[in-house]
Structure formats: C-alpha cells, structure tokens
Amino acid sequence: MNPKILFIDDEPHILKAFARLFRKDSFDIITTSSPTEVCELVQNDEFALIVSDQRMPKLEGTKLLEQVRELSPDTIRIILTGYADKEAAIEAINQGSVYRFLTKPWDDHELRNEIKRAIDEHRLRQENKRLQELTLSQNEELRDLNQNLETKVRERTEKVTLLNQQLKQGFIGSIRAMAQLGEMHSSDLGEHAKRVTVTTGQIGKQLGLSMDDLFQINSAALLHDLGKIELPENLLAKPYNKLIPVEQRQVQNHVILGEKIAQMVPSLEKAAVLIRHHHEHFNGSGYPDGLKGEEIPLGSRVIFVADYYDHLANNKSGAQPKSPEAILDSMKEHSGTWFDPQVLSALHKYLLPEEHESALLDYLNKQSVNDTPEVKQTNKKETVQSIHSQNSEVESVTEAEMDVTVEQDLRLRPYELELGMTLSRDLFSNNGGLLLPRGTVLGQRQLENLRSLSLANPISDRIFVNPQPVEEKKNTTSKETPQKTPLQV
C-alpha cells in the first residue's frame, strides 16, 4: 500500500505543481485548499505526510498542523514558508507541531529528497510503534504463560510430591509387612528386630552416615532375622553355641534367605546385601562368605554390633541382666576380631556419652604430656566441646528422617519422665541392678520413687521410653520438686 501525502495551499497552481512533481513516485497524492477539509480527511484516512503552506487566508499552517497533531499524532507534518515566516516555523518545530519547514520558492530536487526522508521517517516510526506494541503483547503473553507455567509446575510438583509420598509409604509399608512376618513367626524375633533397628540408627548417627545409608541400614536391621521364619521354634530358642553342626548350618542359612526376601522389594538391593553379611566377623571368621575388615559392608558391621548387644541386654536365659557398661566391657574383648572397633566405639558413645567424654579427656591428657606449657586444660575441654558440636549436627536429623521403619524411643532424664510413659528398655541402677523391666507403664508412685532416688543416689540418665504415652496425661508431680519417698518399684 502506497503512503498517502496531503498537500494544502491556497494557490491552485502550486497544488498542481506538487501533483506533477510526484506523479512518477509511489505515493498517493491528495491536494486541497480548505483547512476544514484537511481535518475531515485526516479523521477518515491515514496519511503518512501533510505538507502545508504557512500563509493562508483562513488559518495559518502552524495552527492547522497543531490540529492535525491532535487528530493524527503519527502523521509527519511539514511547513512551506517564505523567508519572513522562518521564526514562526522554527518555533513550531521546537513545540513539536511540525517535523521541519521548507522555504518558497523550493528546489524540486531538494523538495523530493525531503519528502522521501519524511516518508522514511514515518515508516520508521510506524515500525517502531509496531515493534513496541508487539513487545508489549508478547510480554503480556509471556507473563500469562509464566503464571500458567508456575501454576502448572506447582500443580505438577504437588502431584509428584504426593505420588512420592504414596510410593514411600507403600515402600515402607512393604518393609513393615515383611517385618510383621517375622513377628508372627516369633514375637521375640519381632521385638528384637525393632530394638536392633533403634540401636543401629543411633550408631549410624554417631558415625555420621547419610540419610540414604541410614534408611538402607535401618531397613536391613528391621529385616535382618527375617530368614529365620523357616526355622522351627525349638531351634530358635537354643543358644547358637549349643547347636550341633547341622543345626548351626541351618541357622546360618537365614542370612541367605533374608537376602533373597529383601531382594524382592525394589530399592532394597543395598539392604539385602547388608542382611547377607550381618554375621561376618572383622577377622574373617564369620559367615556366610568369610569377609573381613572393610570387605564387610559398614552397614553389616553396624547391624552385627547392635544385634550382639541386644542379645546380651535382653537374654532369656534367666541370668541376672547386665548393665550397658558390663555388656560393653565384654564386647570390647572381641574388638578387632569380631567387631569393627570404630563401630563398637560408636555404640559406646551412644550408650555412655559421659564415660566417652571422660575417656576422651584422658586421652588428650596423655597426648599433652610433651606439649608446651602454654597448652592448657581448657584447650582440651574446648576440643571435646568441638567434637560434641560436630556430633550435634548429625543428631539434628529428625527421628522420622533418620529411621523410617520404626518409631524411635525417647531418651530422658529422671525429672523429665511423665505419668503414663512406657519404658522401652530395662532400667538399671548405677550398680547394675534392675530397677524396672522394659514395658513398665510409669505410675505416680514409680515416678516419685525414681525422682527421689535420683536425688539421693543419681541414677543413670539413660532412661528410654516409647515416644507416645499409653494413657492420657494426668496430674503429675512437679519436675522441679520431686517427692522424697522410699524407692518401691
């Protein structure tokens, strides 16, 4: 479409001259001598350029082009003026009413060039306007797309998160269902597996294991004896060292069967390997493959230590239960032969944190014999505090994240106990005597006696209870003012 040019002059012969001058150009030329008609034409059509004479009888050119600007801001406006009207034309340019002015009489070549430059300017302005409108439109579309995308991403994320949660719950449900098989076969096996899982998770925390490793190790711990479901109850009840060789081989086969069962669940491949090797000994004397040292997966070494400790702590032989200190002392005899020393140390640190700190201070004292006088005892304490600070970062992992297979028991001091809490482990006095068995639901009288005992002869603060009380909380004795009554538990 050719650009349209409107010429206005009160002299007809000048208008004819304009028409002749541009007859060979690709312009649509329209001429008029009426200012009123100019406004009507501009309202009804789109003009690229208007060229107006300055001196006209009814209206000056600058005034007319001001009206045109209001009606059609994009139209380029040029004034034709004589020398005497230059100042008026310059003022009109400064005010933005006109693009530029040309003088009469004009040079045809110069006029043609100015008209073409004005048309190019109009095209440039129109293209710029088009691009701006396109940019605004695209920005608006992009804004809408971004909003829609954010909504879709949020919706998709929620769906994926929900699906992952459902898959995780289904996965954990499968693990617990398999664990339930062992518990149905033997309640002792089920309870033992839960306790070992708790201890395994705590050892793993002391070792600074990752969340994925903790999950796999805890899963393996919960299922580590699942292969025993094929064993008869009379065989399960006999101590391993009293079994004849044929029976021992039959018991040893439970790690192979447990591995096969775990392999049936997707994503439990690592746990299956841990189950297979949880009876390997650090010196290579274990079964089924005789692995030794770091050939044994770390998770298997952890489960073996927790498994062995739980058997000693919860033996069914009728012998007097041993304290954690006594059990650890007996296990230390096999450190480096059966047990990984690092794992055994982690169990010791979990069960006896105060003793572990004391041993660490003794070690630092020995190391500082040859130190310079400037090395003070406070430095050793700061070192211990630094080590505990590092460990606290590991312990900041929530229980739910650390162990997704079973609920964790709570570790409380005597004054933190509350009515209705259930002991999850046997409670021993400092001299190794059994105060309360595992499963005891704490009543008002027992709480008062325990708190009274802790004042007279502080008992260990290693009191473990289930995470949820069996009964609703009732009126409890103030933690700050325990009753001083004789111990009767």
Side-chain angles (χ1 to χ4, degrees), residues 116-351:
K116 289 181 179 179
R117 278 194 287 268
I119 295 299
D120 290 339
E121 175 70 17
H122 180 265
R123 287 172 176 164
L124 182 61
R125 291 182 182 181
Q126 291 299 102
E127 180 64 14
N128 184 56
K129 181 180 179 181
R130 185 189 69 81
L131 292 176
Q132 287 181 345
E133 292 175 350
L134 179 61
T135 301
L136 291 175
S137 175
Q138 290 178 339
N139 286 341
E140 187 66 26
E141 291 178 3
L142 184 60
R143 189 179 301 109
D144 292 340
L145 288 174
N146 286 336
Q147 291 177 349
N148 292 334
L149 182 60
E150 290 176 0
T151 302
K152 290 180 180 179
V153 169
R154 183 169 58 254
E155 292 175 352
R156 183 63 59 86
T157 301
E158 291 174 354
K159 290 180 180 179
V160 171
T161 301
L162 178 60
L163 180 60
N164 286 337
Q165 291 175 347
Q166 293 173 344
L167 289 174
K168 185 176 181 180
Q169 292 301 319
F171 179 49
I172 295 173
S174 299
I175 297 174
R176 290 178 174 170
M178 288 192 296
Q180 191 67 24
L181 290 176
E183 191 165 359
M184 291 172 61
H185 183 69
S186 169
S187 59
D188 289 341
L189 279 181
E191 292 300 320
H192 166 70
K194 293 177 182 178
R195 293 193 302 268
V196 170
T197 303
V198 172
T199 305
T200 297
Q202 296 295 340
I203 295 175
K205 285 173 60 178
Q206 298 296 334
L207 295 173
L209 300 182
S210 67
M211 292 301 302
D212 181 65
D213 288 339
L214 282 174
F215 178 82
Q216 293 292 334
I217 292 175
N218 285 345
S219 299
L222 190 64
L223 304 176
H224 76 283
D225 278 342
L226 186 58
K228 290 184 178 180
I229 59 176
E230 69 170 2
L231 300 177
E233 290 188 12
N234 63 331
L235 198 60
L236 289 175
K238 294 173 64 175
Y240 181 80
N241 58 4
K242 294 185 178 181
L243 299 175
I244 62 176
V246 173
E247 292 175 330
Q248 287 184 348
R249 287 193 295 271
Q250 190 177 356
V251 171
Q252 290 177 5
N253 191 58
H254 82 277
V255 298
I256 307 297
L257 179 59
E259 177 192 29
K260 292 180 179 179
I261 295 175
Q263 286 175 339
M264 297 178 183
V265 179
S267 302
L268 272 187
E269 294 83 0
K270 292 181 181 179
V273 174
L274 302 185
I275 292 172
R276 178 185 180 90
H277 298 296
H278 79 273
H279 276 293
E280 304 283 4
H281 292 172
F282 204 65
N283 63 358
S285 62
Y287 62 88
D289 301 316
L291 302 182
K292 62 181 180 179
E294 294 187 358
E295 293 177 351
I296 309 170
L298 177 58
S300 297
R301 287 176 263 158
V302 171
I303 295 173
F304 180 44
V305 168
D307 181 37
Y308 193 91
Y309 173 82
D310 189 74
H311 279 302
L312 293 182
N314 297 274
N315 68 84
K316 301 294 183 179
S317 63
Q320 179 69 21
K322 295 182 179 180
S323 67
E325 292 87 345
I327 296 175
L328 287 172
D329 286 341
S330 67
M331 293 179 69
K332 286 179 182 177
E333 298 177 2
H334 303 290
S335 178
T337 53
W338 289 2
F339 309 120
D340 181 344
Q342 181 185 9
V343 176
L344 192 59
S345 176
L347 175 64
H348 184 280
K349 186 176 181 181
Y350 159 57
L351 294 173

Side-chain angles (χ1 to χ4, degrees), residues 101-103 106-115 117:
F101 71 91
L102 302 175
T103 60
W106 66 81
D107 178 87
D108 286 350
H109 180 70
E110 181 182 351
L111 179 60
R112 285 171 59 86
N113 288 338
E114 289 295 339
I115 295 299
R117 278 194 287 268

Side-chain angles (χ1 to χ4, degrees), residues 86-113:
K86 281 185 178 180
E87 291 186 3
I90 293 174
E91 183 181 355
I93 291 175
N94 292 335
Q95 293 175 353
S97 300
V98 299
Y99 171 66
R100 64 183 53 187
F101 71 91
L102 302 175
T103 60
K104 291 181 180 180
W106 66 81
D107 178 87
D108 286 350
H109 180 70
E110 181 182 351
L111 179 60
R112 285 171 59 86
N113 288 338

Side-chain angles (χ1 to χ4, degrees), residues 451-458:
R451 291 166 183 166
S452 177
L453 178 63
S454 69
L455 293 177
N457 181 22

